[in-house]
Amino acid sequence: MHRSGTSALARVVSLLGASLPRHLVPAGLGNELGHWEPEAAVALNDRVLAAAGTTVNGLGGPPDAWFETPAAQDFLAPMREMIEAEFADQTLFVFKDPRSALVFPLWRRALADLGVRCLPVVMLREPVEAAASLVARQHRAVPWQPWTLDRAGLLWLRYTLAAERHTRGGVRAFCSYAGLLDDWRGVALHLADRLGVAWPRPLAEAAPEIEAFLDAGRRHQHAQRVPGGREGIWPFWIAPAFEALRHGEPEAAVLDGIARSFADVCAAIAPAAESARTPAVAAAPAVAVPRAACGQPRVCIVANAAMLDADRIGPLSSVLEGLAGAGAHLTLVPCGDFPGTTRQTLAALAERHAVDIEPCDDNAQPVEPAFLRPAIAVFRHLRARAFDAILFPDHGGPGHACIVAKQAGLAFAETTLAILAGGGSRWQRERERRFPGNLVTLSVEHIEQRAVEGADRVLVPSQEIAQWMHNAGWRWRDSEDLAPACDLRRDVAALLRPDGVQAPRAASASPTAGVTVVITHFERPQLLDQNLQALLRQTDRDFSVLVVDDGSRGADALHYLAGIEERYRGLGLRLLRQPNRYLGAARNAGIRAATTEFVILLDDDNLAFPALVATLRQAAHALQADIVTCGVRHFHDATGTPEAAPDGQGPDQFFAGGPLLVGAVHNCFGDASGIYRRAIFERLGGFHEQRGVTYEDWQLHLRAAASRLRLASLPEPLVWYRVRAGSMLRTTHRHDNARVIASAVRELPCAALEPLADFLIGQEDERVRLNLNAEAIRAASAAQAAALAENGMAARQHAQALEQLVAVRTEDARTAERYAQSLEAALAQARDARDTAAGYARSLEAARVEAETYARHLEAELARWREPERRGPGAGA
């Protein structure tokens, strides 16, 4: 199953001495250290699955009966051819691609036809870990289209059941990913015993590299970190299947029962588990889903925002209509940014023509320079896809890397690569009467032209554009026949014909010309040994090594060099010593001492990818080139290996290979790490030998390009480039280095600098524009300053008025305060008067009471005195 450690095991086995395929799928998202699988097998397996009516991410098939059909048998021949091309006469090799689990009966039969003993290893990982890893990679690749853990779990079940069932009936082994990380030695011994294999390389010798590679910290998903309590498919299917497998040879009846149950409900589960096709860019699947029926041509259209403007969308729609009318299955791959409403325009276009949208994965290793990023991202995304034809826009050159790769024999051997020439950057610039304002503009125009001239087909919808390209000196297939240039119907029909595929220029697909790897060394034995160890891991070992020591005197270096020829006898190593004469002289000495047709140059502090020799040799023959450089992957470590670099890796740096004018200002040709036809040094005179000055590779490449030698740079990183503080580039002066470039420019013919006039005029226009902008900015700033000053004076006057107003308000406040105080005093007096009045009232009340009492007393006395009168006369007193 994907994400189960197959890449890790393949790499460990290769470090133990098994040969890797010649052409590896490059490292990418989720596998930054490499996939270690043959690129051709991925594309071939996709074709097999498509022919069987299923996909890499589908849940069903192929059924066992399908492998006996003629459609399946037709794939045996290309499988045998791929095995022979990738592994040649290797006695022990490792072949890995998770898709092989689904179609393994065919691979086993193809290997048997070649007399190769097949020893399958089934890789196992905790299913929740594997599913979580797949979900995480999907989220990184296409965050707007997440996968559920259940969907990933169903894929684990499909692949694991197929791997176990298809490997029955012979010698096989099961390997745990956790066991590989925890005890790789035990796993290596177990596999050797179980499969009957003797590892060519002793475990002790391979241990440092394996342990550096197997960093358990790269295991990002652990079963205990994933929430438990899974229900449904997990306890019913997945957990029992893993339990049956985890202890070695499983009970077939248990797994067959799970497989039958899974198959019974697969038809109901599949629609929910699979992503429905949608025209919206934001809802596109992360992985290519080849849904084409058997025999239906599959065409990919790479689209960028420029393709959707008013002048270009019409021809694009016509092409889509023509392809759909021809019965092709169409996939649209967006490339680059889509500003404004262009994203909605793309979605509407896909909806109208029933086109699948497949986002381009550009989240892998970062790329420099920026203008090459779209082309490299498209190449990385499409190189292992199984398309019959791929159509690129000319604007921006997104097809450049793919077309160079096909010309070099690296990919797309059975795919027609075409360009829809709707008007590139230079055509648009000249139509608008603009000059090139910078080197990036010239570089983009260069890769656009190279893509058009190298394409298998060029679709030119406009007679005006065809005539302009012809007048500009562009030469492409059928470019001499301009009359029918705007016949898109004819061009679309030709796009689907087999004769649209151009074969590589070389007569042989497996070049055998002699190669010497020349390594220059000075006082760095530890780094030199890392370099030589990397050469031991080359997939193509048909080369010799020449080490040129440039006058080392240190004890460590002398001790190491004393036994180097014996230690690396397997590489046919020769040691050449000379007094210290600097890097250029050391390279020239090595080239003179070599006797082979080609030399590959390496510095002692860099390391070769496993496919360096095979890829450069193949490219030199396919391109009939004199010099082939490659991309380099930076790593930041002064003494260690890339896997252990404490400050990380990247970016990947690539080179456009021109134009010559740019090459006179900036190194657009490549690092010295490349393959060179040795005879060209007699014509060019070799690298410069000035002490204390670098740029010797840049200067040589510039002279080679000016001499019209064929120089190409591959869109593939093949060398680890060490970044360290003490390198020559960082310890020499840029002005001194530039003098050697100036000396080469002085020798260039005037015709080589023909674009210089436009460029300088463009630079002057740009300078004038910037000066005008600066003057406008200064004038605006002055006006703003004057306005601010005027506003400042008004503000000061306003502030003074406010101050006066505040003073008046303050005096009013003080008056009000005094008035309030007087009111308080009056209020206090009123309170006193009120209290006095109240006291007086109380005294009056007391007097009244007293008067009433006295009155009642008088009334009583009066009544007593009147009593005798009421009794009459004579009453006694």
Side-chain angles (χ1 to χ4, degrees):
M1 171 55 188
H2 303 269
R3 317 304 300 165
S4 292
T6 54
S7 298
L9 180 61
R11 182 55 175 152
V12 169
V13 170
S14 73
L15 292 174
L16 290 171
S19 298
L20 288 164
R22 291 177 180 271
H23 302 99
L24 293 168
V25 172
L29 182 66
N31 282 69
E32 286 77 9
L33 294 182
H35 294 273
W36 314 106
E37 60 193 37
E39 189 175 61
V42 176
L44 187 53
N45 282 334
D46 275 342
R47 289 183 182 273
V48 175
L49 293 173
T54 185
T55 71
V56 65
N57 291 326
L59 297 181
D64 291 346
W66 181 82
F67 294 108
E68 303 301 325
T69 64
Q73 301 296 310
D74 287 343
F75 287 102
L76 291 175
M79 285 180 170
R80 291 191 295 266
E81 292 172 2
M82 191 228 77
I83 294 167
E84 290 180 323
E86 293 294 331
F87 300 105
D89 298 326
Q90 303 296 334
T91 57
L92 178 67
F93 61 84
V94 54
F95 171 72
K96 167 255 171 180
D97 174 26
R99 296 166 177 78
S100 300
L102 306 178
V103 297
F104 186 69
L106 292 178
W107 285 109
R108 171 176 267 177
R109 191 174 307 176
L111 290 166
D113 291 345
L114 295 173
V116 178
R117 188 162 66 104
C118 178
L119 305 172
V121 181
V122 179
M123 197 71 188
L124 296 173
R125 185 180 185 182
E126 287 278 353
V128 180
E129 278 189 13
S133 180
L134 192 61
V135 169
R137 184 179 68 174
Q138 174 73 6
H139 177 73
R140 289 176 62 194
V142 191
W144 56 81
Q145 180 69 26
W147 281 11
T148 65
L149 205 64
D150 286 350
R151 173 178 179 173
L154 289 173
L155 287 178
W156 180 92
L157 185 66
R158 177 205 186 190
Y159 274 79
T160 304
L161 291 175
E164 188 281 328
R165 184 176 70 256
H166 291 327
T167 56
R168 292 177 187 173
V171 175
R172 66 176 177 177
F174 292 85
C175 177
S176 158
Y177 180 50
L180 181 66
L181 293 179
D182 295 339
D183 181 18
W184 67 266
R185 290 179 176 82
V187 169
L189 294 172
H190 167 70
L191 294 181
D193 178 66
R194 181 72 180 172
L195 302 177
V197 172
W199 300 120
R201 196 177 180 199
L203 270 62
E205 179 183 324
E209 293 175 85
I210 293 177
E211 289 169 359
F213 175 77
L214 286 181
D215 177 8
R218 298 186 184 276
R219 181 185 180 191
H220 302 297
Q221 303 296 332
H222 295 261
Q224 62 268 26
R225 297 180 185 174
V226 181
R230 309 301 306 180
E231 298 179 353
I233 62 173
W234 295 89
F236 191 70
W237 284 331
I238 298 175
F242 183 67
E243 186 63 29
L245 288 162
R246 65 185 304 178
H247 301 297
E249 281 294 334
E251 293 186 23
V254 174
L255 295 175
D256 287 344
I258 295 172
R260 284 193 297 271
S261 174
F262 178 46
D264 289 342
V265 299
C266 187
I269 294 175
E274 294 293 322
S275 291
R277 186 188 69 81
T278 171
V281 177
V287 182
V289 182
R291 299 187 298 107
C294 184
Q296 184 182 12
R298 302 186 66 250
V299 179
C300 172
I301 298 94
V302 176
N304 55 20
M307 223 175 182
L308 303 178
D309 66 20
D311 292 332
R312 298 180 179 91
I313 195 168
L316 176 60
S317 297
S318 299
V319 169
L320 292 174
E321 290 173 2
L323 291 170
H329 175 267
L330 304 179
T331 299
L332 198 63
V333 174
C335 170
D337 296 327
F338 286 81
T341 61
T342 52
R343 185 174 293 272
Q344 289 71 29
T345 302
L346 183 68
L349 187 71
E351 175 70 20
R352 184 163 62 252
H353 296 285
V355 180
D356 287 337
I357 294 184
E358 178 183 313
C360 181
D361 172 21
D362 58 357
N363 296 314
Q365 197 76 18
V367 168
E368 291 181 352
F371 72 86
L372 283 177
R373 287 174 192 166
I376 297 298
V378 167
F379 171 54
R380 287 172 168 172
H381 183 76
L382 294 178
R383 65 181 304 166
R385 299 300 200 271
F387 289 108
D388 296 290
I390 303 173
L391 181 64
F392 304 95
D394 58 347
H395 196 282
H400 172 261
C402 293
I403 290 169
V404 171
K406 180 173 182 178
Q407 291 176 320
L410 305 185
F412 309 110
E414 303 298 326
T415 303
T416 299
L417 302 184
I419 297 288
L420 179 59
S425 301
R426 180 180 168 189
W427 175 80
Q428 183 174 345
R429 174 175 62 79
E430 292 188 359
R431 188 173 66 163
E432 297 172 359
R433 297 184 177 181
R434 291 185 289 107
F435 293 100
N438 52 57
L439 296 179
V440 172
T441 299
L442 295 175
S443 298
V444 171
E445 293 174 0
H446 171 77
I447 66 172
E448 290 176 354
Q449 179 178 352
R450 290 295 173 263
V452 168
E453 294 181 336
D456 299 321
R457 296 283 184 188
V458 179
L459 284 62
V460 189
S462 164
Q463 186 71 29
E464 176 190 1
I465 295 175
Q467 189 64 55
W468 176 88
M469 291 194 302
H470 188 270
N471 293 343
W474 294 22
R475 296 295 179 262
W476 66 96
R477 186 175 180 179
D478 300 327
S479 61
E480 299 302 324
D481 185 12
L482 295 180
C486 57
D487 189 352
L488 281 181
R489 181 173 299 180
R490 177 209 63 179
D491 291 339
V492 168
L495 189 64
L496 301 178
R497 289 201 303 265
D499 64 352
V501 181
Q502 289 185 353
R505 291 181 175 85
S508 171
S510 300
T512 58
V515 170
T516 300
V517 177
V518 177
I519 305 173
T520 51
H521 168 259
F522 178 70
E523 300 288 10
R524 294 186 293 212
Q526 178 185 356
L527 303 187
L528 176 59
D529 194 66
Q530 293 176 16
N531 188 313
L532 295 172
Q533 287 292 322
L535 292 179
L536 286 174
R537 298 189 292 273
Q538 290 298 298
T539 59
D540 180 352
R541 292 290 296 274
D542 185 16
F543 63 91
S544 59
V545 176
L546 179 62
V547 174
V548 182
D549 179 65
D550 192 35
S552 296
R553 295 183 178 182
D556 290 343
L558 295 177
H559 176 74
Y560 178 81
L561 294 173
I564 193 173
E565 290 184 331
E566 178 62 26
R567 190 179 308 114
Y568 288 101
R569 183 188 303 171
L571 290 176
L573 188 147
R574 290 187 296 144
L575 175 63
L576 176 64
R577 294 185 174 183
Q578 67 174 29
N580 182 257
R581 295 172 53 202
Y582 221 62
L583 179 58
R587 284 180 180 156
N588 290 337
I591 293 166
R592 287 193 297 269
T595 59
T596 52
E597 181 181 357
F598 289 96
V599 292
I600 293 176
L601 303 182
L602 288 174
D603 292 338
D604 58 0
D605 58 344
N606 297 333
L607 288 85
F609 280 33
L612 171 78
V613 174
T615 304
L616 289 179
R617 191 202 305 263
Q618 166 69 28
H621 279 256
L623 295 167
Q624 296 181 351
D626 300 300
I627 301 173
V628 179
T629 63
C630 61
V632 296
R633 177 164 296 170
H634 296 80
F635 73 105
H636 305 265
D637 192 310
T639 59
T641 59
E643 292 85 355
D647 295 324
Q649 302 170 1
D652 286 355
Q653 183 178 3
F654 297 94
F655 305 91
L660 191 61
L661 177 58
V662 173
V665 183
H666 173 75
N667 183 5
C668 60
F669 303 114
D671 179 65
S673 302
I675 190 168
Y676 300 76
R677 194 179 300 274
R678 199 165 55 87
I680 69 169
F681 293 98
E682 298 177 3
R683 177 175 174 182
L684 295 176
F687 294 94
H688 80 74
E689 299 186 1
Q690 297 182 41
R691 180 178 293 275
V693 178
T694 184
Y695 288 175
E696 65 289 323
D697 46 2
W698 177 7
Q699 192 217 41
L700 179 87
H701 295 156
L702 178 60
R703 288 189 283 129
S707 299
R708 298 189 180 278
L709 295 177
R710 184 168 178 81
L711 185 151
S713 189
L714 302 181
E716 184 78 87
L718 296 174
V719 172
W720 288 104
Y721 185 91
R722 189 184 304 273
V723 180
R724 56 188 183 85
S727 67
M728 286 178 56
L729 195 60
R730 288 165 174 79
T731 56
T732 54
H733 199 283
R734 180 174 173 81
H735 181 271
D736 297 336
N737 295 336
R739 295 309 90 207
V740 301
I741 302 302
S743 67
V745 171
R746 284 195 296 270
E747 299 175 5
L748 296 180
C750 293
L753 300 177
E754 180 181 350
L756 184 61
D758 278 355
F759 176 68
L760 292 177
I761 293 173
Q763 288 280 284
E764 180 63 18
D765 283 354
E766 184 70 6
R767 187 189 66 80
V768 170
R769 184 185 68 81
L770 292 175
N771 286 341
L772 290 175
N773 288 344
E775 288 295 335
I777 292 172
R778 281 195 291 270
S781 299
Q784 290 177 356
L788 288 174
E790 183 178 348
N791 291 338
M793 182 176 295
R796 284 193 296 272
Q797 293 173 351
H798 183 63
Q800 292 173 354
L802 287 177
E803 289 176 357
Q804 295 173 357
L805 182 62
V806 168
V808 173
R809 292 289 186 266
T810 301
E811 184 60 31
D812 291 344
R814 290 172 181 166
T815 302
E817 183 179 2
R818 290 194 296 269
Y819 180 67
Q821 291 173 351
S822 66
L823 288 178
E824 285 289 337
L827 182 61
Q829 293 175 356
R831 289 195 190 99
D832 292 342
R834 183 197 64 187
D835 293 343
T836 302
Y840 180 68
R842 286 193 296 273
S843 66
L844 288 177
E845 180 65 20
R848 183 187 64 78
V849 172
E850 185 178 354
E852 288 179 350
T853 303
Y854 181 68
R856 284 193 296 275
H857 175 72
L858 289 178
E859 287 178 353
E861 284 295 324
L862 181 61
R864 187 168 61 83
W865 285 106
R866 286 178 178 175
E867 184 63 29
E869 293 179 0
R870 285 198 303 268
R871 289 199 300 255

